[in-house]
Amino acid sequence: MIAEGRDANRPGGRAGRARAGCREAVSDGLPLHTNTMAKPGPKSSENKLLASNRRASYRYFLSDHLEAGLVLSGSEVKAVRSGKANLIDAYAVIRDGEAWLLNCHIGPYEYAHRENHEARSKRKLLLHRREIRKLTGKTTEKGLTLIPTKMYLKNGRIKCEIALAKGKKLWDQRETIRRRETDRETRQAMRQRG
């Protein structure tokens, strides 16, 4: 077979590339075929915070933090990513061997129209069976509850951090405020000295 054209006999020419098994042919320095599909970028290992429950550390003693996945519909995912999630009154329960997130408010996504979700529906938490068994034992025996502390994005997936919580008494809450104020005063004093 005889290659035609002025680039046929050059090593980097059209015929040379075709013989070498290259996918892309070049004519006058411009590619004839380009891949127009978007390439996935590197996934960030950092967690992007979407919602947090700051009152949880004020109202409860928190221990045993666990990461759980969430089962969400498309409009719920879009709403959470746009910052419309609220964890303040939310809590988790374990029923029939499954973990559920209750009373978590996810506002409606404005572009979903009739396909929108309910704002306070129950949402399933994805945990391993051994984690569910461990949490079941602790919540039934010791009178602890499960409180979501934050919701974040990890490798393109929405995760929820839940913690075992024991309610604080009023004097515990006052002690927390007192300790926070003394820490703030000592930091200010250190800044003034240094």
Side-chain angles (χ1 to χ4, degrees), residues 71-105:
V71 177
L72 299 173
S73 68
S75 62
E76 288 174 324
V77 171
K78 296 272 191 176
V80 169
R81 283 180 164 227
S82 64
K84 294 186 177 182
N86 188 351
L87 297 173
I88 289 179
D89 293 329
Y91 61 98
V93 295
I94 296 177
R95 291 188 187 141
D96 302 325
E98 294 179 336
W100 296 92
L101 183 64
L102 303 174
N103 216 17
C104 172
H105 184 273

Side-chain angles (χ1 to χ4, degrees), residues 7-135:
D7 296 333
N9 295 327
R10 287 193 338 204
R14 207 187 239 175
R17 286 184 186 255
R19 273 181 270 143
C22 185
R23 292 184 190 165
E24 187 176 283
V26 177
S27 169
D28 298 330
L30 299 172
L32 293 176
H33 176 294
T34 57
N35 188 0
T36 57
M37 291 188 60
K39 293 182 178 142
K43 288 194 175 179
S44 175
S45 62
E46 299 173 11
N47 298 338
K48 180 184 174 190
L49 187 64
L50 300 172
S52 65
N53 189 354
R54 295 182 65 195
R55 287 189 194 172
S57 61
Y58 175 73
R59 291 181 178 172
Y60 304 98
F61 292 112
L62 301 175
S63 65
D64 292 347
H65 296 267
L66 290 171
E67 178 181 80
L70 278 167
V71 177
L72 299 173
S73 68
S75 62
E76 288 174 324
V77 171
K78 296 272 191 176
V80 169
R81 283 180 164 227
S82 64
K84 294 186 177 182
N86 188 351
L87 297 173
I88 289 179
D89 293 329
Y91 61 98
V93 295
I94 296 177
R95 291 188 187 141
D96 302 325
E98 294 179 336
W100 296 92
L101 183 64
L102 303 174
N103 216 17
C104 172
H105 184 273
I106 297 178
Y109 183 61
E110 59 189 59
Y111 300 110
H113 302 297
R114 63 187 170 99
E115 302 295 326
N116 230 328
H117 58 277
E118 290 182 35
R120 288 201 184 264
S121 64
K122 65 179 186 176
R123 294 165 179 94
K124 188 174 181 179
L125 291 172
L126 302 174
L127 291 166
H128 292 284
R129 192 172 292 139
R130 59 181 155 70
E131 292 174 333
I132 291 175
R133 272 192 244 121
K134 175 182 154 186
L135 292 175

Side-chain angles (χ1 to χ4, degrees), residues 57-59 168-185:
S57 61
Y58 175 73
R59 291 181 178 172
K168 287 184 180 179
K169 305 289 184 200
L170 184 61
W171 58 271
D172 288 330
Q173 293 176 2
R174 289 182 187 147
E175 181 64 30
T176 303
I177 293 170
R178 213 174 289 125
R179 193 175 322 124
R180 190 174 25 210
E181 287 176 358
T182 56
D183 288 345
R184 187 181 309 129
E185 289 171 2

Side-chain angles (χ1 to χ4, degrees), residues 183-194:
D183 288 345
R184 187 181 309 129
E185 289 171 2
T186 54
R187 278 195 307 262
Q188 288 176 354
M190 294 298 282
R191 276 192 217 132
Q192 290 175 357
R193 286 185 186 173

